[in-house]
């Protein structure tokens, strides 16, 4: 059965993921092969939360496939402020476009929206839920730099609210990986996510830590996320905690020479700029990879003959 | 509403007690204190004129104290009663016709419950004004919102959508 919507990375099997990554690599090597594949196709961008970066990445991907986008614009200027439901909005915009990309602050928004539309719908983030296209570009970057099997990865920062982290962790259970989750106690993975990870893997590959120190030397990849100021009651508390999860050149002296450092960007001060010029830094490459990966995903979702295959629905 | 006057014979006198209605459904062996939740989950509030009797904290052999609910004139289907397994896993369902128990069965855990519970996660899309029916998958030890994936293990009765 093909998937007509991309809602969560949980829906993707190892085979699905490899199909997308292989195709993204083909496109990355020679984008001209797909330059006109979707001439005349319109992608609707529904961003109920600001995210210039993700939105631009989707827009670039669609245009590089020969298509175009229509953008709902900011929430303030749209009919949403007049109290329209999401169910109504997606049904209206569906009538204008061939596929939809949705970002929404509520968890489960993409699942619900997909029940109201027939065109393919891509989840670009639903509250603290999922962000599967970010996951695919993360996996692509990991594969290019460290390989996806026999991988030891550390995921550090805000693991509680970080949908990017949850999506990535689910997807990695399809591969032979050891995942170390490093965060302050107040920002640990939600119990729901831990439960799922243990269901998906036998659990031996999942470990939680409150400090990077012990695990750093064993890591192939360190995935850093931002700890946001608003998660803490006051500035002092934030400074104290966040400071322990920032990395600089001195931190990385204990790391393997081959360590790959990733970050979904934008960063603030989690990764010192001095790391940018080292061989560890893969975060700008990671951001670049968003375009070929989203081109591959959109093409698979929009093509009758390909589809985003997959077996196990959850 | 209470008709505990016909329960004083105790739990042993099962047939006699559940036969007190003419036609309808008797839900027996409900955990003490859950009777009103049973009615809430079934959407029975008496407003449609159903004749409903509730016995609470009746002495019982199997449970220390049990509740019992009788609905006259309505035969509840297996699908309707299975959702009760979430709050009254030991409940037995007796279908009564002309004072006789003609069917007797246990509640079974359904895979999914729709429109009965509301999600406790304020960040869930189902808690707003969207035209969507709540949906929970039933786990071994709880329920899980099909939209935001929140898992609830305790106090499931608090989620009953009234
Ligand atoms: Zn929910």
């Amino acid at each position: 059965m093909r998937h007509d919507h991309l809602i969560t990375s949980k829906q993707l099997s190892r085979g699905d993921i490899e199909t997308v990554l292989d195709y993204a690599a083909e496109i990355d090597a020679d984008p001209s092969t797909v330059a006109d594949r979707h001439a005349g196709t319109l992608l609707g961008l529904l961003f109920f939360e600001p995210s210039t970066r993700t939105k631009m990445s989707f827009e670039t991907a669609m245009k590089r496939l020969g298509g175009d986008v229509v953008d709902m614009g900011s929430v303030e200027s749209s009919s949403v402020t007049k109290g329209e439901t999401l169910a109504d909005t997606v049904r209206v915009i569906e009538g204008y476009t061939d596929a939809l990309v949705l970002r929404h602050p509520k968890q489960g928004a993409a699942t619900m929206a997909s029940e109201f539309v027939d065109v393919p719908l891509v989840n670009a983030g639903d509250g603290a839920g999922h962000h599967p296209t970010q996951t695919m570009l993360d996996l692509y970057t990991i594969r290019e730099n460290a390989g996806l099997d026999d991988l030891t990865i550390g995921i550090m920062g805000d693991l509680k609210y970080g949908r990017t982290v949850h999506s990535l962790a689910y997807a990695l259970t399809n591969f032979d990986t050891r995942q170390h989750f490093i965060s302050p106690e107040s920002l640990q993975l939600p119990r729901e996510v831990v439960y799922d990870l243990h269901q998906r893997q036998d659990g031996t590959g999942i470990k939680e830590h409150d400090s990077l120190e012990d695990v750093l030397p064993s890591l192939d990849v360190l995935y850093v996320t931002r700890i946001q100021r608003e998660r803490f009651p006051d500035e002092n508390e934030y400074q104290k905690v966040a400071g322990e999860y920032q990395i600089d050149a001195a931190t990385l002296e204990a790391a393997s020479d081959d360590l790959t450092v990733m970050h979904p960007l934008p960063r603030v001060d989690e990764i010192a700029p001095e790391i940018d010029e080292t061989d560890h830094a893969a975060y700008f490459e990671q951001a670049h990879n968003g375009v070929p990966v989203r081109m591959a995903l959109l093409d698979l979702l929009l093509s009758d003959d390909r589809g985003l295959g997959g077996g196990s629905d959850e | 509403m209470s008709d505990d006057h016909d329960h004083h014979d105790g739990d042993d006198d099962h047939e006699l007690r559940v036969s007190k209605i003419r036609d309808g459904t008797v839900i027996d062996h409900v955990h003490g204190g859950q009777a009103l939740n049973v009615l809430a989950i079934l959407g029975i509030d008496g407003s449609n004129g159903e004749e409903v009797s509730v016995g609470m904290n009746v002495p019982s052999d199997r449970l220390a104290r049990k509740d019992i609910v009788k609905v006259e004139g309505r035969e509840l289907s297996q699908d309707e009663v299975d959702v009760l397994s979430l709050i009254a896993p030991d409940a037995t369902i007796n279908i009564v016709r002309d004072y006789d128990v003609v069917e007797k069965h246990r509640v079974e855990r359904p895979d999914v419950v729709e429109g009965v519970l509301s999600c406790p996660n304020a960040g869930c899309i189902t808690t707003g004004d969207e035209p969507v029916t709540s949906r929970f998958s039933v786990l071994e030890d709880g329920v899980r919102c099909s939209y935001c994936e929140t898992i609830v293990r305790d106090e499931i009765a608090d989620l009953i959508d009234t």
Side-chain angles (χ1 to χ4, degrees):
Chain A
M1 196 195 92
R2 54 172 287 193
H3 293 289
D4 292 320
H5 306 293
L6 180 57
I7 307 297
T8 149
S9 63
K10 283 184 194 172
Q11 78 187 67
L12 300 173
S13 67
R14 181 181 177 126
D16 290 336
I17 292 168
E18 283 172 344
T19 300
V20 175
L21 300 189
D22 290 347
Y23 191 34
E26 251 177 71
I27 292 173
D28 206 7
D30 186 4
S32 68
T33 56
V34 290
D36 298 313
R37 254 185 92 77
H38 292 283
T41 298
L42 275 181
L43 181 65
L45 302 177
L46 304 172
F47 278 68
F48 290 82
E49 262 182 354
S51 168
T52 321
R53 204 70 58 79
T54 302
K55 194 154 92 173
M56 280 181 71
S57 175
F58 271 107
E59 185 166 355
T60 306
M62 193 67 240
K63 288 181 172 171
R64 290 207 183 279
L65 288 168
D68 208 342
V69 298
V70 286
D71 184 348
M72 179 181 80
S74 69
V75 171
E76 295 73 35
S77 61
S78 73
S79 53
V80 175
T81 45
K82 302 187 189 95
E84 186 176 61
T85 61
L86 174 62
D88 279 5
T89 304
V90 293
R91 280 179 287 186
V92 170
I93 311 301
E94 172 187 32
Y96 307 155
T97 59
D98 303 294
L100 297 171
V101 176
L102 174 69
R103 169 167 292 193
H104 196 278
K106 292 269 189 178
Q107 262 171 283
T111 302
M112 188 209 74
S114 71
E115 292 170 0
F116 286 92
V117 298
D118 292 322
V119 301
L121 183 141
V122 178
N123 183 7
D126 59 329
H130 299 278
H131 192 2
T133 65
Q134 175 74 41
T135 297
M136 296 305 292
L137 74 90
D138 290 343
L139 293 172
Y140 185 83
T141 309
I142 293 169
R143 191 169 81 163
E144 298 276 292
N145 285 277
L148 278 166
D149 276 311
D150 193 20
L151 172 77
T152 303
I153 184 170
I155 303 180
M156 180 168 84
D158 180 350
L159 309 183
K160 183 173 185 183
Y161 300 96
R163 56 191 166 205
T164 300
V165 168
H166 309 160
S167 280
L168 177 61
Y170 292 135
L172 284 171
T173 60
N174 286 299
F175 299 89
D176 173 20
T177 55
R178 289 161 299 279
Q179 302 194 57
H180 295 280
F181 296 95
I182 306 137
S183 72
E185 203 183 331
S186 61
L187 294 176
Q188 280 178 350
L189 285 177
R191 295 305 96 185
E192 270 81 2
V193 176
V194 176
Y195 171 88
D196 284 339
L197 292 175
H198 282 258
Q199 296 281 102
R200 297 172 67 88
Q201 225 175 26
D202 60 14
T204 54
I206 311 291
K207 290 205 170 62
E208 297 182 82
H209 311 265
D210 59 10
S211 147
L212 175 63
E213 211 181 322
D214 293 343
V215 291
L216 181 61
S218 69
L219 300 181
D220 301 311
V221 173
L222 176 60
Y223 193 105
V224 184
T225 65
R226 179 148 52 110
I227 292 178
Q228 292 182 35
R229 163 71 189 87
E230 56 266 33
R231 307 288 183 219
F232 291 86
D234 64 72
E235 183 69 26
N236 274 345
E237 182 79 1
Y238 164 68
Q239 291 294 353
K240 205 174 85 201
V241 173
E244 291 177 38
Y245 300 91
Q246 293 165 355
I247 60 166
D248 55 22
T251 319
L252 294 191
E253 277 172 21
S256 142
D257 289 344
D258 296 330
L259 176 75
T260 299
V261 176
M262 295 172 62
H263 190 298
L265 302 183
R267 69 172 154 175
V268 181
D269 47 15
E270 305 84 65
I271 300 177
E274 64 197 24
I275 296 177
D276 299 356
E277 301 310 320
T278 69
D279 290 339
H280 296 302
Y283 26 93
F284 293 114
E285 173 194 338
Q286 185 184 355
H288 159 87
N289 290 340
V291 173
V293 167
R294 290 190 171 100
M295 287 171 76
L297 282 166
L298 287 172
D299 185 30
L300 293 169
L301 283 165
L302 284 162
S303 303
D304 295 334
D305 57 327
R306 300 194 70 145
L308 187 51
S312 63
D313 245 321
E314 291 207 16
Chain B
M1 289 257 280
S2 168
D3 65 347
D4 48 355
H5 61 274
D6 63 342
H7 294 153
H8 59 256
D9 290 339
D11 195 53
D12 301 329
D13 210 350
H14 197 76
E15 289 302 320
L16 179 67
R17 187 167 32 69
V18 298
S19 308
K20 292 286 182 189
I21 62 171
R22 180 182 175 137
D23 298 294
T25 308
V26 175
I27 305 164
D28 200 357
H29 299 109
V30 173
H31 283 237
Q34 293 292 333
L36 295 179
N37 287 329
V38 164
L39 288 170
I41 242 180
L42 295 173
I44 295 172
D45 61 2
S47 63
N48 295 325
E50 310 100 320
E51 213 176 287
V52 180
S53 325
V54 175
M56 286 190 181
N57 296 318
V58 179
S60 157
D61 290 347
R62 207 190 301 169
L63 308 165
R65 293 275 165 176
K66 66 170 186 177
D67 287 3
I68 183 163
V69 174
K70 305 178 187 183
V71 185
E72 178 79 50
R74 192 166 151 197
E75 292 187 6
L76 296 168
S77 69
Q78 185 80 41
D79 279 356
E80 279 178 289
V81 297
D82 276 349
V83 64
L84 296 178
S85 63
L86 299 177
I87 57 160
D90 298 308
T92 49
I93 309 298
N94 302 274
I95 303 293
V96 179
R97 286 181 203 146
D98 203 18
Y99 300 111
D100 279 333
V101 174
V102 295
E103 259 178 59
K104 196 181 181 89
H105 48 88
R106 305 290 300 262
V107 292
E108 285 160 27
R109 281 177 94 72
D111 295 334
V112 176
V113 293
E114 283 193 55
V116 173
L117 308 173
S118 55
C119 185
N121 172 10
C124 176
I125 191 71
T126 63
T127 61
D129 298 324
E130 299 296 333
V132 60
T133 306
S134 75
R135 189 167 67 232
F136 287 79
S137 51
V138 179
L139 313 175
E140 256 168 59
D141 58 346
V143 294
R144 173 173 232 184
C145 176
S146 302
Y147 292 91
C148 73
E149 303 177 64
T150 295
I151 296 175
V152 181
R153 292 198 169 85
D154 305 313
E155 308 300 336
I156 290 171
D158 292 349
L159 308 182
I160 296 169
D161 201 359
T162 44

